[in-house]
Amino acid sequence: MWIDERGSEVLDLPECRRLLALGAKRHHHGHLGVPTDSAPLVLPVDYVVHDSEVVIQIGERLFDKVNGRIVAFQVDYSFDGLARDGGSPEGRWSVLLRGLASEIDWPAAGSHFPEPRVAEPGHRLVGVRGDVVTGRRLRPPGPDEGNSD
């Protein structure tokens, strides 16, 4: 296990992929980071994992901004003791996936569809390829850490 300079555990690729799939199974939303001319745009989205891609459902305007471009997708989980799923041994973690976004044909997607929780999710399916996948497990501060007294 590798701990970075901030005290976070750096996750290996299989663990990152497992946590992405776990987040999708538990219906956690992720955040899609989209490049624009003026500044990056970050939007919450529901997702599923299909093979090594994250699949999202979006509308036309957002599709025009992401199709054929490198985007980022991040999902975080923080167990605070009040989680509906009764908690998780994974604790607090974050996984970031960066890669090419491209349209997925609806029939080719089979049964791998996200379950959007917005009124009008759009009609385009987009897969975000996992070209670069990184993750961190955040550890709570020890008894002597975090106190500046």
Side-chain angles (χ1 to χ4, degrees):
M1 170 177 48
W2 177 44
I3 305 297
D4 69 12
E5 68 279 356
R6 298 177 323 149
S8 299
E9 176 187 353
V10 177
L11 304 176
D12 62 16
L13 182 59
E15 180 66 355
C16 288
R17 294 202 184 281
R18 184 186 77 79
L19 290 172
L20 276 172
L22 179 67
K25 180 180 176 185
R26 292 183 175 172
H27 303 287
H28 297 314
H29 71 277
H31 292 94
L32 179 67
V34 180
T36 69
D37 292 336
S38 58
L41 173 66
V42 178
L43 297 168
V45 293
D46 295 296
Y47 74 102
V48 295
V49 175
H50 178 59
D51 297 328
S52 62
E53 289 188 326
V54 166
V55 178
I56 59 174
Q57 184 176 336
I58 59 176
E60 290 296 322
R61 287 192 338 198
L62 186 55
F63 176 78
D64 291 340
K65 290 180 180 6
V66 304
N67 191 40
R69 307 224 20 219
I70 301 295
V71 299
F73 175 84
Q74 183 171 0
V75 63
D76 301 305
Y77 178 78
S78 180
F79 173 62
D80 60 5
L82 303 173
R84 288 176 297 201
D85 61 12
S88 169
E90 289 82 21
R92 296 171 40 199
W93 53 264
S94 178
V95 174
L96 173 65
L97 178 143
R98 292 177 290 164
L100 183 67
S102 56
E103 185 170 22
I104 296 176
D105 187 43
W106 282 87
S111 62
H112 296 91
F113 297 109
E115 297 176 22
R117 291 174 277 183
V118 295
E120 298 183 29
H123 302 289
R124 298 283 195 139
L125 280 183
V126 172
V128 179
R129 212 169 59 191
D131 295 335
V132 178
V133 182
T134 59
R136 301 282 193 273
R137 184 169 286 116
L138 309 174
R139 300 173 347 150
D144 297 332
E145 298 175 76
N147 292 333
S148 58
D149 297 345

